[in-house]
Structure formats: structure tokens, C-alpha cells
Amino acid sequence: MNLKKNFKITIILYIVGLIFGIFIGELINLNLNKIEYSSDPNNLATTWYIITRNLTVFIILLSGVVLFKIPTIINLIFNGSVLGFMLSGLPTKDLFLYIAAILIHGIPELIGLFIAAAISFSGYKGFIDNKKKGLTLLLLGVTLIIIAGFIETYISPIILTKEVY
């Protein structure tokens, strides 16, 4: 399991998608003047929804282990482009607040998702040959996704409570 190489591939694919999303957003002149953060910080159901949504992406990324890495590649590029598209339309007035709110939960979330992608790029044989390492990484990835879900529900909205529109 060559994790360093697999993480590089993962990051490159995500960045390609991110750049593509920014390009498309700029091309159509996307303008998100007012963004309402829909997370209810007092609702555990919101946390559960976010965690299950992100674990679904985690599983899709992992499915590339047995599906010739195809869903992993598509998902990395697609999710990168969605973030890039959204970033391109954010109002510059409060850009720092939006980016802070995204990064505070996005860093552990992306690391968790990138772990799944890196495992996928190792292939089935690479995973089986390094079961202990692979299972440890899976557990770490899932843990990061869960932590990110709580941060996205309870901390990111606090950053955005300042009037940002």
C-alpha cells in the first residue's frame, strides 16, 4: 500500500475538480449574494444527516477498491468541482468567514475522504496485503468523518452567525 503516492493522486484529482468548478463558476458569473446556512445547531438529527451523507461518500470512494477505481476518480473530481463552483460565487465581502466556516469542518472531512480514496487506489490486493494498516486507516477515516459532522453542525454555524450578507 503506497499511501504517499495514493494521497498525491487523490489530491491532484480533487484539485483538478476544484479548478474546473471555479472555472465554470466564473464562466457563468455565478453570484451567491445571500447564503443561508441551513444547519440547525441544536438538532442531533442534523448531525446524523451530515455524518451519514459524508459516510456515503466515504463508501463510494472505497468502492473503487473493487470497481477499478472508477467511482473514486469520478467522485473526487465531482466533489472538488462542486466546492470550486460554490467558492467561485461567494461574495468577496465576507469571503474569509465563508472559507473559515468551510475549512473548520472541511479539513477533517476531506482528510477522512482522502483516506478512503487512498485506500481505493491501493486496490483490493494492496488492501488485503496490508489488512492491519488498511483497517486502521478505515477507522481513522470514519472517525474524522464523524468529528467533521459534529464540527459542521455545532461550530461552522457559529462562524456564520455574524451577518454575512
Side-chain angles (χ1 to χ4, degrees), residues 138-156:
L138 279 175
L139 182 61
L140 176 62
V142 169
T143 302
L144 287 169
I145 295 295
I146 292 169
I147 290 168
F150 278 97
I151 293 170
E152 186 171 353
T153 304
Y154 295 102
I155 298 174
S156 291

Side-chain angles (χ1 to χ4, degrees), residues 20-59:
F20 178 74
I22 291 170
F23 174 75
I24 295 298
E26 292 295 324
L27 186 68
I28 65 167
N29 199 21
L30 180 65
N31 189 359
L32 303 172
N33 286 328
K34 181 178 178 182
I35 296 180
E36 294 180 21
Y37 199 81
S38 62
S39 180
D40 180 359
N42 298 315
N43 189 345
L44 196 55
T46 301
T47 307
W48 179 246
Y49 171 77
I50 290 169
I51 290 170
T52 55
R53 183 189 66 211
N54 289 334
L55 286 175
T56 301
V57 174
F58 189 86
I59 291 167

Side-chain angles (χ1 to χ4, degrees), residues 89-156:
L90 290 176
T92 55
K93 176 184 167 213
D94 292 304
L95 190 59
F96 176 75
L97 284 175
Y98 288 115
I99 291 176
I102 292 168
L103 286 179
I104 194 115
H105 73 269
I107 290 173
E109 182 179 307
L110 283 176
I111 292 171
L113 295 175
F114 287 177
I115 287 171
I119 291 170
S120 178
F121 287 127
S122 297
Y124 180 75
K125 183 170 175 14
F127 182 76
I128 295 302
D129 289 348
N130 298 288
K131 275 186 258 188
K132 186 175 180 182
K133 188 177 194 177
L135 291 173
T136 302
L137 285 170
L138 279 175
L139 182 61
L140 176 62
V142 169
T143 302
L144 287 169
I145 295 295
I146 292 169
I147 290 168
F150 278 97
I151 293 170
E152 186 171 353
T153 304
Y154 295 102
I155 298 174
S156 291

Side-chain angles (χ1 to χ4, degrees), residues 66-112:
V66 293
L67 297 173
F68 309 108
K69 303 168 187 70
I70 294 167
T72 307
I73 294 167
I74 292 169
N75 195 279
L76 285 169
I77 293 171
F78 177 77
N79 280 317
S81 65
V82 168
L83 179 61
F85 186 74
M86 188 192 77
L87 288 175
S88 73
L90 290 176
T92 55
K93 176 184 167 213
D94 292 304
L95 190 59
F96 176 75
L97 284 175
Y98 288 115
I99 291 176
I102 292 168
L103 286 179
I104 194 115
H105 73 269
I107 290 173
E109 182 179 307
L110 283 176
I111 292 171

